[in-house]
Amino acid sequence: MAHPVSYEGTAENFDQLVLEPKGELVVVDFWGDGCPNCDIYAAAEPALLAELEGAPMRVVKVNAYQYEDLARRFGLFGIPTFLLFREGKLIGKMSQYYGKEYWLGVIRDHLPAA
């Protein structure tokens, strides 16, 4: 089975990558250059996704500074912020990256039932 895929989200492809997919969890990672916690998550992301091998999910990374309109659309106040979507609906939110076990726990709690 494959690892979940990470995509670069933009204003142009956001709805297609985040709101249209069916049958999977979509994690939107709002990040920014110069954000220490964003850098910590980015370094940990390959290992995190490896632990979720075969999970019905994708990660969409959105630069909150470059796409401020998207950050405002969801009322974000800080980064990193992770929004969780399923079937086009916002179902969860994590503000900040609190480490591997916390992140994985929240993600696993929101994965679609097999």
Side-chain angles (χ1 to χ4, degrees):
M1 300 196 116
H3 299 315
V5 177
S6 183
Y7 299 89
E8 182 179 346
T10 67
E12 295 76 28
N13 69 9
F14 186 86
D15 289 354
Q16 178 186 8
L17 289 175
V18 175
L19 303 179
E20 294 176 12
K22 304 294 183 212
E24 65 183 7
L25 177 67
V26 180
V27 179
V28 181
D29 167 16
F30 281 93
W31 67 279
D33 293 320
C35 162
N37 279 333
C38 299
D39 293 341
I40 292 168
Y41 169 77
E45 183 182 56
L48 292 168
L49 296 184
E51 290 221 17
L52 295 164
E53 184 170 341
M57 67 172 285
R58 67 174 63 190
V59 175
V60 178
K61 301 175 79 58
V62 176
N63 184 321
Y65 299 141
Q66 187 175 359
Y67 298 103
E68 291 178 14
D69 55 328
L70 288 175
R72 279 193 302 272
R73 178 176 168 184
F74 295 101
L76 302 187
F77 291 104
I79 54 173
T81 295
F82 303 90
L83 301 181
L84 288 65
F85 290 84
R86 193 169 48 230
E87 308 297 327
K89 293 181 175 50
L90 180 64
I91 60 167
K93 178 180 180 178
M94 288 185 284
S95 295
Q96 298 298 324
Y97 175 65
Y98 292 109
K100 174 184 173 181
E101 295 307 318
Y102 177 80
W103 193 91
L104 287 171
V106 171
I107 298 303
R108 287 180 175 134
D109 286 347
H110 287 86
L111 286 170

